[in-house]
Amino acid sequence: GENVEQHPSTLSVQEGDSAVIKCTYSDSASNYFPWYKQELGKRPQLIIDIRSNVGEKKDQRIAVTLNKTAKHFSLHITETQPEDSAVYFCAASTRSNYQLIWGAGTKLIIKP
Amino acid sequence: DGGITQSPKYLFRKEGQNVTLSCEQNLNHDAMYWYRQDPGQGLRLIYYSQIVNDFQKGDIAEGYSVSREKKESFPLTVTSAQKNPTAFYLCASSATGNQPQHFGDGTRLSIL
């Protein structure tokens, strides 16, 4: 079945450094790739998304890149800050499918 | 997101009891979703609805039931058949499939 693998499961970086989280999807028909941030005890919030007709998208310190050939996409956070500490989830869906296929999540820890 | 309201915030279930979690949205979205999240885990889809009076099972539908009689409402009933209901339940909506999903603040369900 459709699957999204997310790595690493935990990522610890020094404040001010960059963080990269990678996801690989199995369904070549996938064309929508959102990223969500979930703080402890809170709801997931969409932070950035990308569609398959675009290779990269940026929003201030956050960027997402997509490699359709390799079927993977990555979240890049630059100049990390303490408030970036959270669990990040990637997901993928296809035009014909109402379901998002979710990655298992990455716990990002920002060390002071 | 302010457009999705889940209630109650906390809910306690006795053995053999059915409980219903409320989800209301004022975003005029066609699609609505229910997810279960266990501590430290990812999101698992329980049920989703693409349109009024229609819904489909997700990955873990056993022990749960839903209805979609109105566009803005998608209540979830946790039945007594669900033997391990303790979890964080999240409702989401999207304009259509393959669009960003927006989440409510969630309901925490515990067993008395």
Side-chain angles (χ1 to χ4, degrees), chain B residues 76-94:
Chain B
L76 173 74
T77 296
V78 184
T79 74
S80 57
Q82 174 50 249
K83 298 306 180 186
N84 183 23
T86 298
F88 187 40
Y89 290 86
L90 288 156
C91 177
S93 72
S94 64

Side-chain angles (χ1 to χ4, degrees), chain A residues 31 36 38 43 51 93 98, chain B residues 1 37 97-98 101 104-105:
Chain A
N31 62 355
Y36 286 81
Q38 187 178 29
R43 65 176 185 250
R51 295 193 182 271
S93 76
Y98 274 66
Chain B
D1 291 357
Q37 188 174 37
N98 215 26
Q101 291 187 15
D105 286 333

Side-chain angles (χ1 to χ4, degrees), chain A residues 1 9 22 26 34 38 44 46 48 52 63 76 78 80-82 91 94 105-106:
Chain A
S9 57
K22 298 181 180 179
S26 61
Q38 187 178 29
L46 180 71
I48 196 166
S52 58
H76 304 254
T78 59
T80 53
Q81 300 170 5
T94 65
T106 295

Side-chain angles (χ1 to χ4, degrees), chain B residues 10-26:
Chain B
Y10 299 96
L11 187 58
F12 298 92
R13 196 191 85 170
K14 296 179 181 178
E15 291 288 340
Q17 185 182 44
N18 294 350
V19 292
T20 297
L21 285 61
S22 171
C23 178
E24 303 276 333
Q25 54 100 357
N26 62 6

